[in-house]
Amino acid sequence: AAALTYWEGAARLIASCATSSKIVVEKSTVPVKTAEAISKVLTRNCTDPNVQFEILSNPEFLAEGTAIADLEKPDRVLIGGQETESGRKAVATLKWVYEHWIPSERVLT
């Protein structure tokens, strides 16, 4: 079972410190609907109503023993987010980061 207390604690910390809108990227393999749960924790624990959060799913593609090589030259990178204007903008932002070292055709959204 996934250790869900860790992401919940991280989400509470992010929410308590956020003074501007944030893109939060979940990297781990987590149960379905975790992004929804993260969003709820962030929203409920952020005191600034002007701060918005976009949660992206970006499963890890690193294997033990080959993590650096996998990071430098992955066969593909997956990015998922909400099908909203702000969600698509967040996905495009993370894709832009990866495209600094990974060919665009390997970054799947």
Side-chain angles (χ1 to χ4, degrees):
L4 301 180
T5 55
Y6 295 115
W7 70 253
E8 186 173 352
R12 288 179 191 277
L13 181 60
I14 292 166
S16 71
C17 298
T19 58
S20 62
S21 295
K22 304 287 176 226
I23 297 172
V24 177
V25 182
E26 62 166 298
K27 292 289 295 173
S28 295
T29 303
V30 292
V32 174
K33 304 248 182 201
T34 301
E36 229 176 85
I38 291 170
S39 181
K40 287 178 184 175
V41 170
L42 289 166
T43 302
R44 289 180 183 154
N45 289 278
C46 184
T47 58
D48 187 338
N50 296 315
V51 172
Q52 300 295 314
F53 297 99
E54 284 297 330
I55 316 308
L56 300 182
S57 179
N58 178 222
E60 289 185 8
F61 52 86
L62 309 177
E64 189 174 341
T66 60
I68 299 301
D70 292 343
L71 178 63
E72 291 174 341
K73 295 186 179 183
D75 63 338
R76 69 186 170 281
V77 174
L78 305 174
I79 304 171
Q82 292 291 318
E83 287 295 323
T84 61
E85 183 178 343
S86 59
R88 286 187 289 276
K89 184 177 176 184
V91 167
T93 300
L94 184 55
K95 184 176 183 192
W96 174 82
V97 171
Y98 276 115
E99 289 173 337
H100 283 79
W101 77 95
I102 298 169
S104 179
E105 63 272 6
R106 286 201 235 153
V107 183
L108 309 175
T109 60

